PDB file of all heavy atoms in Angstrom:
ATOM      1  N   PRO F 748    -162.652  48.078  -4.512  1.00 97.00           N
ATOM      2  CA  PRO F 748    -162.505  46.924  -5.340  1.00 97.00           C
ATOM      3  C   PRO F 748    -161.813  47.323  -6.674  1.00 97.00           C
ATOM      4  O   PRO F 748    -162.030  48.422  -7.199  1.00 97.00           O
ATOM      5  CB  PRO F 748    -164.009  46.607  -5.619  1.00 97.00           C
ATOM      6  CG  PRO F 748    -164.796  47.822  -5.334  1.00 97.00           C
ATOM      7  CD  PRO F 748    -164.010  48.590  -4.333  1.00 97.00           C
ATOM      8  N   LEU F 749    -160.989  46.409  -7.241  1.00 98.00           N
ATOM      9  CA  LEU F 749    -160.168  46.752  -8.409  1.00 98.00           C
ATOM     10  C   LEU F 749    -160.319  45.644  -9.479  1.00 98.00           C
ATOM     11  O   LEU F 749    -160.497  44.546  -9.142  1.00 98.00           O
ATOM     12  CB  LEU F 749    -158.739  46.899  -7.985  1.00 98.00           C
ATOM     13  CG  LEU F 749    -158.321  47.975  -6.942  1.00 98.00           C
ATOM     14  CD1 LEU F 749    -156.865  47.773  -6.564  1.00 98.00           C
ATOM     15  CD2 LEU F 749    -158.585  49.395  -7.492  1.00 98.00           C
ATOM     16  N   VAL F 750    -160.108  46.097 -10.731  1.00 98.00           N
ATOM     17  CA  VAL F 750    -159.915  45.116 -11.738  1.00 98.00           C
ATOM     18  C   VAL F 750    -158.556  45.371 -12.353  1.00 98.00           C
ATOM     19  O   VAL F 750    -158.146  46.569 -12.737  1.00 98.00           O
ATOM     20  CB  VAL F 750    -161.055  45.331 -12.867  1.00 98.00           C
ATOM     21  CG1 VAL F 750    -161.193  46.662 -13.412  1.00 98.00           C
ATOM     22  CG2 VAL F 750    -160.751  44.276 -13.980  1.00 98.00           C
ATOM     23  N   ASP F 751    -157.705  44.330 -12.399  1.00 98.00           N
ATOM     24  CA  ASP F 751    -156.393  44.429 -13.002  1.00 98.00           C
ATOM     25  C   ASP F 751    -156.510  44.368 -14.454  1.00 98.00           C
ATOM     26  O   ASP F 751    -157.114  43.439 -15.030  1.00 98.00           O
ATOM     27  CB  ASP F 751    -155.466  43.349 -12.552  1.00 98.00           C
ATOM     28  CG  ASP F 751    -155.172  43.343 -11.023  1.00 98.00           C
ATOM     29  OD1 ASP F 751    -155.405  44.442 -10.372  1.00 98.00           O
ATOM     30  OD2 ASP F 751    -154.762  42.299 -10.497  1.00 98.00           O
ATOM     31  N   ILE F 752    -155.953  45.406 -15.124  1.00 98.00           N
ATOM     32  CA  ILE F 752    -155.919  45.448 -16.618  1.00 98.00           C
ATOM     33  C   ILE F 752    -154.452  45.725 -17.076  1.00 98.00           C
ATOM     34  O   ILE F 752    -153.818  46.632 -16.508  1.00 98.00           O
ATOM     35  CB  ILE F 752    -156.824  46.524 -17.179  1.00 98.00           C
ATOM     36  CG1 ILE F 752    -158.247  46.458 -16.592  1.00 98.00           C
ATOM     37  CG2 ILE F 752    -156.868  46.511 -18.687  1.00 98.00           C
ATOM     38  CD1 ILE F 752    -159.092  47.574 -17.066  1.00 98.00           C
ATOM     39  N   ALA F 757    -155.218  48.548 -21.470  1.00 98.00           N
ATOM     40  CA  ALA F 757    -155.869  49.729 -21.034  1.00 98.00           C
ATOM     41  C   ALA F 757    -155.667  50.876 -21.982  1.00 98.00           C
ATOM     42  O   ALA F 757    -156.599  51.623 -22.346  1.00 98.00           O
ATOM     43  CB  ALA F 757    -155.212  50.072 -19.611  1.00 98.00           C
ATOM     44  N   LEU F 760    -157.945  50.707 -24.808  1.00 98.00           N
ATOM     45  CA  LEU F 760    -159.334  50.905 -24.477  1.00 98.00           C
ATOM     46  C   LEU F 760    -159.511  52.373 -24.020  1.00 98.00           C
ATOM     47  O   LEU F 760    -160.678  52.779 -23.571  1.00 98.00           O
ATOM     48  CB  LEU F 760    -159.824  49.964 -23.453  1.00 98.00           C
ATOM     49  CG  LEU F 760    -159.923  48.444 -23.870  1.00 98.00           C
ATOM     50  CD1 LEU F 760    -160.087  47.582 -22.617  1.00 98.00           C
ATOM     51  CD2 LEU F 760    -160.945  48.225 -24.892  1.00 98.00           C
ATOM     52  N   GLY F 761    -158.421  53.182 -23.997  1.00 98.00           N
ATOM     53  CA  GLY F 761    -158.521  54.565 -23.477  1.00 98.00           C
ATOM     54  C   GLY F 761    -158.767  54.612 -21.994  1.00 98.00           C
ATOM     55  O   GLY F 761    -159.402  55.599 -21.427  1.00 98.00           O
ATOM     56  N   ILE F 762    -158.255  53.698 -21.306  1.00 98.00           N
ATOM     57  CA  ILE F 762    -158.422  53.565 -19.821  1.00 98.00           C
ATOM     58  C   ILE F 762    -157.166  53.941 -19.059  1.00 98.00           C
ATOM     59  O   ILE F 762    -156.072  53.503 -19.418  1.00 98.00           O
ATOM     60  CB  ILE F 762    -158.907  52.148 -19.372  1.00 98.00           C
ATOM     61  CG1 ILE F 762    -160.319  51.833 -19.986  1.00 98.00           C
ATOM     62  CG2 ILE F 762    -158.882  51.945 -17.890  1.00 98.00           C
ATOM     63  CD1 ILE F 762    -160.756  50.394 -19.890  1.00 98.00           C
ATOM     64  N   GLN F 763    -157.322  54.792 -18.072  1.00 98.00           N
ATOM     65  CA  GLN F 763    -156.147  55.184 -17.235  1.00 98.00           C
ATOM     66  C   GLN F 763    -156.324  54.545 -15.859  1.00 98.00           C
ATOM     67  O   GLN F 763    -157.486  54.218 -15.459  1.00 98.00           O
ATOM     68  CB  GLN F 763    -156.033  56.648 -17.173  1.00 98.00           C
ATOM     69  CG  GLN F 763    -155.829  57.238 -18.589  1.00 98.00           C
ATOM     70  CD  GLN F 763    -155.275  58.644 -18.482  1.00 98.00           C
ATOM     71  OE1 GLN F 763    -155.516  59.335 -17.525  1.00 98.00           O
ATOM     72  NE2 GLN F 763    -154.511  59.031 -19.539  1.00 98.00           N
ATOM     73  N   ASN F 764    -155.195  54.461 -15.153  1.00 98.00           N
ATOM     74  CA  ASN F 764    -155.240  53.955 -13.777  1.00 98.00           C
ATOM     75  C   ASN F 764    -156.197  54.736 -12.980  1.00 98.00           C
ATOM     76  O   ASN F 764    -156.274  55.927 -13.011  1.00 98.00           O
ATOM     77  CB  ASN F 764    -153.821  53.989 -13.187  1.00 98.00           C
ATOM     78  CG  ASN F 764    -153.700  53.162 -11.957  1.00 98.00           C
ATOM     79  OD1 ASN F 764    -154.257  52.068 -11.907  1.00 98.00           O
ATOM     80  ND2 ASN F 764    -153.082  53.699 -10.887  1.00 98.00           N
ATOM     81  N   ALA F 765    -156.967  54.007 -12.223  1.00 98.00           N
ATOM     82  CA  ALA F 765    -158.013  54.521 -11.310  1.00 98.00           C
ATOM     83  C   ALA F 765    -159.214  55.011 -11.911  1.00 98.00           C
ATOM     84  O   ALA F 765    -160.157  55.542 -11.249  1.00 98.00           O
ATOM     85  CB  ALA F 765    -157.460  55.614 -10.319  1.00 98.00           C
ATOM     86  N   ASP F 766    -159.351  54.915 -13.285  1.00 98.00           N
ATOM     87  CA  ASP F 766    -160.605  55.196 -13.925  1.00 98.00           C
ATOM     88  C   ASP F 766    -161.723  54.171 -13.424  1.00 98.00           C
ATOM     89  O   ASP F 766    -161.426  53.029 -13.213  1.00 98.00           O
ATOM     90  CB  ASP F 766    -160.471  55.057 -15.470  1.00 98.00           C
ATOM     91  CG  ASP F 766    -159.908  56.230 -16.110  1.00 98.00           C
ATOM     92  OD1 ASP F 766    -159.679  57.250 -15.448  1.00 98.00           O
ATOM     93  OD2 ASP F 766    -159.565  56.102 -17.305  1.00 98.00           O
ATOM     94  N   MET F 767    -162.924  54.662 -13.375  1.00 98.00           N
ATOM     95  CA  MET F 767    -164.069  53.772 -13.153  1.00 98.00           C
ATOM     96  C   MET F 767    -164.397  53.182 -14.491  1.00 98.00           C
ATOM     97  O   MET F 767    -164.625  53.935 -15.519  1.00 98.00           O
ATOM     98  CB  MET F 767    -165.280  54.469 -12.559  1.00 98.00           C
ATOM     99  CG  MET F 767    -165.124  54.835 -11.086  1.00 98.00           C
ATOM    100  SD  MET F 767    -164.763  53.450 -10.050  1.00 98.00           S
ATOM    101  CE  MET F 767    -166.301  52.532 -10.046  1.00 98.00           C
ATOM    102  N   VAL F 768    -164.476  51.868 -14.559  1.00 98.00           N
ATOM    103  CA  VAL F 768    -164.821  51.155 -15.816  1.00 98.00           C
ATOM    104  C   VAL F 768    -165.962  50.263 -15.629  1.00 98.00           C
ATOM    105  O   VAL F 768    -166.297  49.870 -14.528  1.00 98.00           O
ATOM    106  CB  VAL F 768    -163.588  50.417 -16.413  1.00 98.00           C
ATOM    107  CG1 VAL F 768    -162.460  51.369 -16.736  1.00 98.00           C
ATOM    108  CG2 VAL F 768    -163.155  49.290 -15.479  1.00 98.00           C
ATOM    109  N   THR F 769    -166.562  49.794 -16.819  1.00 98.00           N
ATOM    110  CA  THR F 769    -167.571  48.801 -16.675  1.00 98.00           C
ATOM    111  C   THR F 769    -166.991  47.479 -17.170  1.00 98.00           C
ATOM    112  O   THR F 769    -166.325  47.439 -18.216  1.00 98.00           O
ATOM    113  CB  THR F 769    -168.787  49.104 -17.558  1.00 98.00           C
ATOM    114  OG1 THR F 769    -169.362  50.400 -17.062  1.00 98.00           O
ATOM    115  CG2 THR F 769    -169.892  48.036 -17.573  1.00 98.00           C
ATOM    116  N   VAL F 770    -167.189  46.383 -16.398  1.00 98.00           N
ATOM    117  CA  VAL F 770    -166.860  45.093 -16.920  1.00 98.00           C
ATOM    118  C   VAL F 770    -168.144  44.391 -17.100  1.00 98.00           C
ATOM    119  O   VAL F 770    -169.025  44.277 -16.204  1.00 98.00           O
ATOM    120  CB  VAL F 770    -166.049  44.300 -15.824  1.00 98.00           C
ATOM    121  CG1 VAL F 770    -165.645  42.935 -16.361  1.00 98.00           C
ATOM    122  CG2 VAL F 770    -164.792  45.139 -15.421  1.00 98.00           C
ATOM    123  N   GLU F 771    -168.256  43.835 -18.353  1.00 98.00           N
ATOM    124  CA  GLU F 771    -169.554  43.229 -18.712  1.00 98.00           C
ATOM    125  C   GLU F 771    -169.251  41.824 -19.189  1.00 98.00           C
ATOM    126  O   GLU F 771    -168.381  41.605 -20.035  1.00 98.00           O
ATOM    127  CB  GLU F 771    -170.182  44.052 -19.824  1.00 98.00           C
ATOM    128  CG  GLU F 771    -171.545  43.582 -20.306  1.00 98.00           C
ATOM    129  CD  GLU F 771    -172.096  44.282 -21.461  1.00 98.00           C
ATOM    130  OE1 GLU F 771    -171.926  45.578 -21.488  1.00 98.00           O
ATOM    131  OE2 GLU F 771    -172.662  43.707 -22.341  1.00 98.00           O
ATOM    132  N   ARG F 776    -173.212  43.122 -15.596  1.00 98.00           N
ATOM    133  CA  ARG F 776    -172.124  44.050 -15.617  1.00 98.00           C
ATOM    134  C   ARG F 776    -172.006  44.782 -14.301  1.00 98.00           C
ATOM    135  O   ARG F 776    -172.956  44.898 -13.526  1.00 98.00           O
ATOM    136  CB  ARG F 776    -172.403  45.124 -16.726  1.00 98.00           C
ATOM    137  CG  ARG F 776    -173.618  46.014 -16.602  1.00 98.00           C
ATOM    138  CD  ARG F 776    -173.592  47.081 -17.686  1.00 98.00           C
ATOM    139  NE  ARG F 776    -174.059  46.490 -18.898  1.00 98.00           N
ATOM    140  CZ  ARG F 776    -175.305  46.633 -19.343  1.00 98.00           C
ATOM    141  NH1 ARG F 776    -176.218  47.327 -18.570  1.00 98.00           N
ATOM    142  NH2 ARG F 776    -175.744  46.061 -20.452  1.00 98.00           N
ATOM    143  N   ILE F 777    -170.729  45.188 -14.060  1.00 98.00           N
ATOM    144  CA  ILE F 777    -170.458  45.954 -12.756  1.00 98.00           C
ATOM    145  C   ILE F 777    -169.563  47.116 -13.098  1.00 98.00           C
ATOM    146  O   ILE F 777    -168.872  47.096 -14.135  1.00 98.00           O
ATOM    147  CB  ILE F 777    -169.716  45.075 -11.689  1.00 98.00           C
ATOM    148  CG1 ILE F 777    -168.408  44.515 -12.280  1.00 98.00           C
ATOM    149  CG2 ILE F 777    -170.634  43.936 -11.226  1.00 98.00           C
ATOM    150  CD1 ILE F 777    -167.513  43.741 -11.251  1.00 98.00           C
ATOM    151  N   LYS F 778    -169.567  48.151 -12.276  1.00 98.00           N
ATOM    152  CA  LYS F 778    -168.648  49.248 -12.420  1.00 98.00           C
ATOM    153  C   LYS F 778    -167.515  49.013 -11.344  1.00 98.00           C
ATOM    154  O   LYS F 778    -167.868  48.735 -10.128  1.00 98.00           O
ATOM    155  CB  LYS F 778    -169.391  50.571 -12.067  1.00 98.00           C
ATOM    156  CG  LYS F 778    -170.177  51.018 -13.297  1.00 98.00           C
ATOM    157  CD  LYS F 778    -170.405  52.560 -13.171  1.00 98.00           C
ATOM    158  CE  LYS F 778    -171.227  53.065 -14.463  1.00 98.00           C
ATOM    159  NZ  LYS F 778    -170.516  52.845 -15.633  1.00 98.00           N
ATOM    160  N   ILE F 779    -166.366  49.248 -11.659  1.00 98.00           N
ATOM    161  CA  ILE F 779    -165.221  48.968 -10.802  1.00 98.00           C
ATOM    162  C   ILE F 779    -164.044  49.888 -11.162  1.00 98.00           C
ATOM    163  O   ILE F 779    -163.907  50.218 -12.347  1.00 98.00           O
ATOM    164  CB  ILE F 779    -164.866  47.455 -10.876  1.00 98.00           C
ATOM    165  CG1 ILE F 779    -163.852  47.086  -9.776  1.00 98.00           C
ATOM    166  CG2 ILE F 779    -164.555  47.014 -12.234  1.00 98.00           C
ATOM    167  CD1 ILE F 779    -163.774  45.546  -9.648  1.00 98.00           C
ATOM    168  N   LYS F 780    -163.103  49.994 -10.257  1.00 98.00           N
ATOM    169  CA  LYS F 780    -161.963  50.954 -10.514  1.00 98.00           C
ATOM    170  C   LYS F 780    -160.866  50.155 -11.193  1.00 98.00           C
ATOM    171  O   LYS F 780    -160.565  48.952 -10.846  1.00 98.00           O
ATOM    172  CB  LYS F 780    -161.422  51.481  -9.148  1.00 98.00           C
ATOM    173  CG  LYS F 780    -160.462  52.638  -9.351  1.00 98.00           C
ATOM    174  CD  LYS F 780    -159.894  53.029  -7.989  1.00 98.00           C
ATOM    175  CE  LYS F 780    -160.586  54.166  -7.369  1.00 98.00           C
ATOM    176  NZ  LYS F 780    -159.922  54.711  -6.170  1.00 98.00           N
ATOM    177  N   ALA F 781    -160.205  50.742 -12.206  1.00 98.00           N
ATOM    178  CA  ALA F 781    -159.180  50.055 -13.021  1.00 98.00           C
ATOM    179  C   ALA F 781    -157.825  50.132 -12.248  1.00 98.00           C
ATOM    180  O   ALA F 781    -157.450  51.197 -11.762  1.00 98.00           O
ATOM    181  CB  ALA F 781    -159.018  50.701 -14.348  1.00 98.00           C
ATOM    182  N   ASN F 782    -157.192  48.999 -12.158  1.00 98.00           N
ATOM    183  CA  ASN F 782    -155.825  48.970 -11.714  1.00 98.00           C
ATOM    184  C   ASN F 782    -154.955  48.608 -12.871  1.00 98.00           C
ATOM    185  O   ASN F 782    -154.863  47.446 -13.237  1.00 98.00           O
ATOM    186  CB  ASN F 782    -155.639  47.958 -10.559  1.00 98.00           C
ATOM    187  CG  ASN F 782    -154.189  47.820 -10.056  1.00 98.00           C
ATOM    188  OD1 ASN F 782    -153.530  48.848  -9.921  1.00 98.00           O
ATOM    189  ND2 ASN F 782    -153.704  46.628  -9.836  1.00 98.00           N
ATOM    190  N   VAL F 783    -154.231  49.557 -13.468  1.00 98.00           N
ATOM    191  CA  VAL F 783    -153.516  49.335 -14.743  1.00 98.00           C
ATOM    192  C   VAL F 783    -152.136  48.765 -14.304  1.00 98.00           C
ATOM    193  O   VAL F 783    -151.426  49.480 -13.507  1.00 98.00           O
ATOM    194  CB  VAL F 783    -153.456  50.637 -15.547  1.00 98.00           C
ATOM    195  CG1 VAL F 783    -152.587  50.391 -16.835  1.00 98.00           C
ATOM    196  CG2 VAL F 783    -154.885  51.038 -15.999  1.00 98.00           C
ATOM    197  N   VAL F 792    -158.230  39.944 -17.579  1.00 98.00           N
ATOM    198  CA  VAL F 792    -158.459  40.861 -16.520  1.00 98.00           C
ATOM    199  C   VAL F 792    -158.803  40.038 -15.243  1.00 98.00           C
ATOM    200  O   VAL F 792    -159.382  39.005 -15.327  1.00 98.00           O
ATOM    201  CB  VAL F 792    -159.635  41.942 -16.840  1.00 98.00           C
ATOM    202  CG1 VAL F 792    -159.222  42.815 -17.999  1.00 98.00           C
ATOM    203  CG2 VAL F 792    -160.928  41.260 -16.996  1.00 98.00           C
ATOM    204  N   ILE F 794    -160.663  40.327 -11.534  1.00 97.00           N
ATOM    205  CA  ILE F 794    -161.542  41.126 -10.735  1.00 97.00           C
ATOM    206  C   ILE F 794    -161.589  40.585  -9.313  1.00 97.00           C
ATOM    207  O   ILE F 794    -161.739  39.427  -9.015  1.00 97.00           O
ATOM    208  CB  ILE F 794    -162.952  41.030 -11.280  1.00 97.00           C
ATOM    209  CG1 ILE F 794    -163.026  41.473 -12.762  1.00 97.00           C
ATOM    210  CG2 ILE F 794    -164.005  41.816 -10.582  1.00 97.00           C
ATOM    211  CD1 ILE F 794    -163.987  40.696 -13.668  1.00 97.00           C
ATOM    212  N   ALA F 801    -168.866  46.114  -5.934  1.00 98.00           N
ATOM    213  CA  ALA F 801    -168.658  45.764  -7.299  1.00 98.00           C
ATOM    214  C   ALA F 801    -168.558  44.210  -7.274  1.00 98.00           C
ATOM    215  O   ALA F 801    -167.504  43.656  -7.219  1.00 98.00           O
ATOM    216  CB  ALA F 801    -167.305  46.409  -7.841  1.00 98.00           C
ATOM    217  N   ARG F 827    -166.038  42.080 -21.543  1.00 98.00           N
ATOM    218  CA  ARG F 827    -165.397  43.280 -22.170  1.00 98.00           C
ATOM    219  C   ARG F 827    -165.350  44.342 -21.162  1.00 98.00           C
ATOM    220  O   ARG F 827    -166.064  44.332 -20.164  1.00 98.00           O
ATOM    221  CB  ARG F 827    -166.246  43.708 -23.434  1.00 98.00           C
ATOM    222  CG  ARG F 827    -167.703  44.179 -23.103  1.00 98.00           C
ATOM    223  CD  ARG F 827    -168.367  44.524 -24.401  1.00 98.00           C
ATOM    224  NE  ARG F 827    -169.726  44.919 -24.151  1.00 98.00           N
ATOM    225  CZ  ARG F 827    -170.381  45.907 -24.771  1.00 98.00           C
ATOM    226  NH1 ARG F 827    -169.739  46.627 -25.663  1.00 98.00           N
ATOM    227  NH2 ARG F 827    -171.642  46.058 -24.533  1.00 98.00           N
ATOM    228  N   VAL F 828    -164.491  45.244 -21.398  1.00 98.00           N
ATOM    229  CA  VAL F 828    -164.285  46.358 -20.434  1.00 98.00           C
ATOM    230  C   VAL F 828    -164.332  47.695 -21.227  1.00 98.00           C
ATOM    231  O   VAL F 828    -163.748  47.799 -22.276  1.00 98.00           O
ATOM    232  CB  VAL F 828    -162.849  46.222 -19.748  1.00 98.00           C
ATOM    233  CG1 VAL F 828    -162.640  47.321 -18.773  1.00 98.00           C
ATOM    234  CG2 VAL F 828    -162.709  44.839 -19.123  1.00 98.00           C
ATOM    235  N   TYR F 829    -165.097  48.565 -20.613  1.00 98.00           N
ATOM    236  CA  TYR F 829    -165.116  49.929 -21.265  1.00 98.00           C
ATOM    237  C   TYR F 829    -165.394  51.024 -20.249  1.00 98.00           C
ATOM    238  O   TYR F 829    -165.841  50.758 -19.137  1.00 98.00           O
ATOM    239  CB  TYR F 829    -166.258  49.933 -22.389  1.00 98.00           C
ATOM    240  CG  TYR F 829    -167.595  49.474 -21.906  1.00 98.00           C
ATOM    241  CD1 TYR F 829    -168.570  50.285 -21.408  1.00 98.00           C
ATOM    242  CD2 TYR F 829    -167.942  48.101 -22.000  1.00 98.00           C
ATOM    243  CE1 TYR F 829    -169.841  49.853 -20.979  1.00 98.00           C
ATOM    244  CE2 TYR F 829    -169.185  47.631 -21.572  1.00 98.00           C
ATOM    245  CZ  TYR F 829    -170.097  48.495 -21.054  1.00 98.00           C
ATOM    246  OH  TYR F 829    -171.300  48.112 -20.618  1.00 98.00           O
ATOM    247  N   LYS F 830    -165.060  52.244 -20.723  1.00 96.00           N
ATOM    248  CA  LYS F 830    -165.227  53.344 -19.749  1.00 96.00           C
ATOM    249  C   LYS F 830    -166.640  53.895 -19.823  1.00 96.00           C
ATOM    250  O   LYS F 830    -167.350  53.761 -20.754  1.00 96.00           O
ATOM    251  CB  LYS F 830    -164.324  54.518 -20.217  1.00 96.00           C
ATOM    252  CG  LYS F 830    -163.136  54.641 -19.214  1.00 96.00           C
ATOM    253  CD  LYS F 830    -162.136  55.562 -19.647  1.00 96.00           C
ATOM    254  CE  LYS F 830    -162.437  57.028 -19.388  1.00 96.00           C
ATOM    255  NZ  LYS F 830    -161.326  57.943 -19.498  1.00 96.00           N
TER     256      LYS F 830
END
Side-chain angles (χ1 to χ4, degrees):
L749 298 173
V750 53
D751 293 343
I752 307 176
L760 296 169
I762 292 168
Q763 296 198 334
N764 194 41
D766 278 351
M767 286 305 288
V768 297
T769 300
V770 182
E771 184 184 320
R776 66 173 79 97
I777 57 170
K778 281 202 178 302
I779 187 167
K780 195 186 263 189
N782 178 43
V783 176
V792 297
I794 304 146
R827 62 181 177 141
V828 181
Y829 52 91
K830 252 172 83 165

